[in-house]
Amino acid sequence: MRAYDDQNIFAKILRGEIPNTTVLETEHSLAFRDIAPAAPTHVLVIPKGPYVCFDDFALNATDEEIVDFTRAVGKVCELEGVQDNGFRVIANAMSDGVQEVPHLHVHVLGGRNMGPMVVRTG
Ligand code: AMP
């Protein structure tokens, strides 16, 4: 089991120790704008619980948390108006996934064509 580091920046956001630009808050989830947006819409959706990354959340969160989080992602797409033109949801995990902040977050990106999914290196 990967240990959760409660000093990560999103844990500090959840505790109100550093500010964020909130898009949506639900019982179990928080959505806020990425501080360095890579697209016109760049919102991060995080669970309030201490989950390191996507598989940790998918395997260990309660059904209620998972439903809340999934619906929060859908609601963010609705609020941001990206449903018709489309969007991309990305969840980076651990070192090969190049995850910088070790608290599960999905990036909701839209407002422009997002290009190829990944850069092919071989
Ligand atoms: P990842 O590489 O998937 O872990 O993405 C981490 C994301 O968090 C990056 O896109 C950062 O720009 C973003 N980020 C880091 N600190 C903050 C912050 N204080 N508020 C909002 N977004 C942040």
Side-chain angles (χ1 to χ4, degrees), residues 11-88:
K12 292 179 180 176
I13 285 177
L14 285 167
R15 290 195 295 267
E17 293 169 9
I18 58 173
N20 74 94
T21 304
T22 299
V23 172
L24 175 72
E25 181 165 11
T26 66
E27 184 179 359
H28 295 293
S29 309
L30 180 69
F32 54 94
R33 299 206 182 280
D34 196 292
I35 203 166
T41 287
H42 191 167
V43 176
L44 303 173
V45 188
I46 68 174
K48 291 181 177 175
Y51 301 102
V52 175
C53 57
F54 196 92
D55 59 310
D56 182 19
F57 181 70
L59 294 172
N60 298 310
T62 65
D63 290 0
E64 195 181 343
E65 288 174 306
I66 291 170
V67 168
D68 182 289
F69 181 78
T70 305
R71 295 246 192 269
V73 173
K75 187 69 181 170
V76 164
C77 294
E78 191 175 75
L79 290 170
E80 293 295 302
V82 295
Q83 290 166 307
D84 288 346
N85 283 351
F87 55 88
R88 181 168 293 157

Side-chain angles (χ1 to χ4, degrees), residues 89-108:
V89 175
I90 297 173
N92 298 319
M94 308 301 287
S95 57
D96 279 0
V98 196
Q99 179 181 8
E100 292 171 20
V101 180
H103 180 115
L104 169 63
H105 50 285
V106 297
H107 300 251
V108 178

Side-chain angles (χ1 to χ4, degrees), residues 88 115-122:
R88 181 168 293 157
M117 184 172 70
V118 291
V119 176
R120 295 182 190 279
T121 56

